Amino acid sequence: MFDRLRRHLRPTGQGEGAPQRHPPERQHNLFEAAAVYVAACAENDPDRSAEAARWVSPEALSFGVNELACRALVALARERGTSPQHVARSLLGLPAA
């Protein structure tokens, strides 16, 4: 929301009263949307997560979030020398299976 407002109010250097020209909206891919969405949720930033959720369809966002979760679990499991299942249960506060 603030990015749109900032772009709208940004000076264009065209003189007063001249129509403002805005750069075309950049297309975001589903992995970028998922990364921003999850990071914003982790940082408790609902405005940023809502913005990222608008970049792609809900199905695409769901796929991207799932892919991010899988990759994160694999990376953490390698770091910890344990299984992804153990890491997932640990992160969620579940007892070991």
Side-chain angles (χ1 to χ4, degrees):
M1 179 174 105
F2 291 109
D3 288 335
R4 284 191 213 141
L5 182 61
R6 202 174 298 121
R7 282 193 301 267
H8 181 71
L9 296 176
R10 181 184 306 150
T12 61
Q14 296 173 326
E16 202 168 317
Q20 291 191 1
R21 297 177 195 228
H22 302 287
E25 287 288 322
R26 186 171 76 80
Q27 294 295 315
H28 300 276
N29 70 41
L30 67 100
F31 296 115
E32 181 180 20
V36 171
Y37 178 82
V38 171
C41 289
E43 295 167 348
N44 198 24
D45 185 347
D47 292 335
R48 186 75 173 141
S49 64
E51 178 185 350
R54 289 189 297 271
W55 293 347
V56 295
S57 72
E59 295 82 12
L61 183 61
S62 177
F63 176 81
V65 168
N66 183 62
E67 185 66 23
L68 177 59
C70 291
R71 291 180 187 195
L73 280 178
V74 168
L76 283 172
R78 285 183 184 151
E79 273 184 20
R80 297 178 181 185
T82 188
S83 73
Q85 180 179 355
H86 180 74
V87 172
R89 295 184 70 82
S90 173
L91 289 172
L92 293 170
L94 300 172

